[in-house]
């Protein structure tokens, strides 16, 4: 049974989350503020943390930073904040995913299942190097991509971008993180580089580059690889 730590100061939302999560077999702890969250995370070792950013005692981003000091537990941010720089700050601090309020319970549960699945897969098979989707096979060790049985030639930069996204399946990776890892900190704001290279990757990897299935853009925030 996966354990979820819900960090949220809205008692009605907490109640709804606890009822829905328990009904689906999750163990649930709830913290109404950041200090309780950090204490419960250490004491209960949850498998996933669902975190509201607007907490009464501290900013949710500081909770992320506090957790990331010692754990890689998946953090799913729940927030009413629409501004994309807030979302980017949460992702850069180490959050794994972001869902904007109001959200549907179905979508939240799907994101939660994805987070639990990623953790389980990482634990079960730490050496996995082959990513296979319907039409694509990506061999991370040999650095090769096959599409519909044929080889796809990627430039070193295209490969670097793809590798980061593929090794974080389903997870939103921020523009800044991609730019820093591929081009270096000095170019961490050159989002036009990303647009150009992602368009190239889509032309090579997607059946319909205008409606990508695998390389998904989250406008103003980053990119996500869907298997
Ligand atoms: Ca709140």
């Amino acid at each position: 049974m996966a354990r979820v730590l819900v960090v949220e100061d809205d008692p009605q939302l907490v109640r709804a989350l606890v009822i829905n999560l328990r009904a689906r077999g999750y163990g649930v702890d709830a913290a109404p503020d950041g200090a309780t969250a950090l204490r419960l995370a250490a004491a209960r070792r949850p498998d996933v943390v669902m975190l509201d950013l607007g907490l009464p005692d501290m900013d949710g981003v500081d909770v992320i930073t506090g957790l990331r000091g010692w754990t890689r537990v998946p953090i799913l941010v729940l927030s009413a904040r629409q501004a994309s720089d807030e979302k980017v700050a949460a992702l850069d601090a180490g959050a794994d995913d972001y869902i904007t309020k109001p959200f549907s319970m179905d979508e939240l549960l799907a994101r939660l299942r994805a987070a639990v699945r990623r953790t389980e897969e990482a634990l079960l098979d730490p050496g996995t190097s082959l990513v296979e989707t319907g039409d694509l096979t990506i061999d991370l060790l040999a650095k090769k991509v096959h599409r519909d049985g044929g080889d796809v030639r990627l430039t070193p930069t295209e490969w670097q971008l793809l590798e980061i996204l593929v090794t974080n399946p389903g997870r939103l990776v921020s523009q800044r993180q991609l730019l820093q890892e591929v081009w270096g900190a000095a170019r961490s704001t050159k989002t036009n580089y990303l647009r150009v290279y992602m368009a190239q990757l889509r032309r090579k990897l997607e059946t319909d580059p205008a409606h990508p299935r695998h390389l998904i853009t989250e406008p103003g925030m980053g990119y996500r690889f869907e298997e």
Side-chain angles (χ1 to χ4, degrees), residues 68-85:
R68 282 292 171 258
W70 61 273
T71 174
R72 287 297 316 157
V73 63
I75 301 172
L76 174 55
V77 167
L78 320 172
S79 181
R81 299 181 191 176
Q82 294 286 348
S84 81
D85 56 341

Side-chain angles (χ1 to χ4, degrees), residues 34 38 41 58-71 75 93:
L38 290 171
M58 65 173 85
D59 196 294
V61 173
D62 294 328
V63 177
I64 298 171
T65 308
L67 289 172
R68 282 292 171 258
W70 61 273
T71 174
I75 301 172

Side-chain angles (χ1 to χ4, degrees), residues 7-10 52-56 78 101:
V7 187
E8 169 63 65
D9 60 330
D10 172 352
D52 176 33
L53 286 185
L55 295 170
L78 320 172
K101 294 178 191 171

Side-chain angles (χ1 to χ4, degrees), residues 129-130 137-146 151-156 159-160 162-163:
S129 67
L130 211 59
T137 305
I138 301 161
D139 187 333
L140 293 166
L141 217 56
K143 298 192 187 264
K144 280 191 184 271
V145 181
H146 300 279
D151 271 339
V152 181
R153 290 189 178 278
L154 297 184
T155 68
W159 174 260
Q160 275 184 279
L162 182 66
E163 187 178 39

Side-chain angles (χ1 to χ4, degrees), residues 3-117:
R3 291 207 74 80
V4 182
L5 173 59
V6 174
V7 187
E8 169 63 65
D9 60 330
D10 172 352
Q12 266 181 305
L13 181 53
V14 172
R15 198 155 47 238
L17 287 171
V18 168
I19 289 169
N20 275 281
L21 293 172
R22 287 201 177 133
R24 283 159 183 85
Y26 292 96
V28 189
D29 295 301
D33 56 56
T36 309
L38 290 171
R39 199 175 65 240
L40 279 180
R44 310 282 287 170
R45 303 291 169 128
D47 300 292
V48 177
V49 175
M50 282 185 185
L51 173 70
D52 176 33
L53 286 185
L55 295 170
D57 61 336
M58 65 173 85
D59 196 294
V61 173
D62 294 328
V63 177
I64 298 171
T65 308
L67 289 172
R68 282 292 171 258
W70 61 273
T71 174
R72 287 297 316 157
V73 63
I75 301 172
L76 174 55
V77 167
L78 320 172
S79 181
R81 299 181 191 176
Q82 294 286 348
S84 81
D85 56 341
E86 302 277 6
K87 300 178 186 177
V88 170
L91 292 169
D92 282 340
D96 293 87
D97 204 351
Y98 198 106
I99 187 163
T100 304
K101 294 178 191 171
F103 47 78
S104 79
M105 199 54 78
D106 285 345
E107 186 184 359
L108 182 77
L109 291 166
R111 301 280 189 93
L112 175 64
R113 283 194 299 274
V116 172
R117 200 165 54 234

Side-chain angles (χ1 to χ4, degrees), residues 153-175:
R153 290 189 178 278
L154 297 184
T155 68
T157 302
E158 289 166 355
W159 174 260
Q160 275 184 279
L161 272 178
L162 182 66
E163 187 178 39
I164 295 167
L165 293 169
V166 167
T167 51
N168 290 283
R171 179 178 169 222
L172 177 55
V173 183
S174 73
Q175 293 174 342

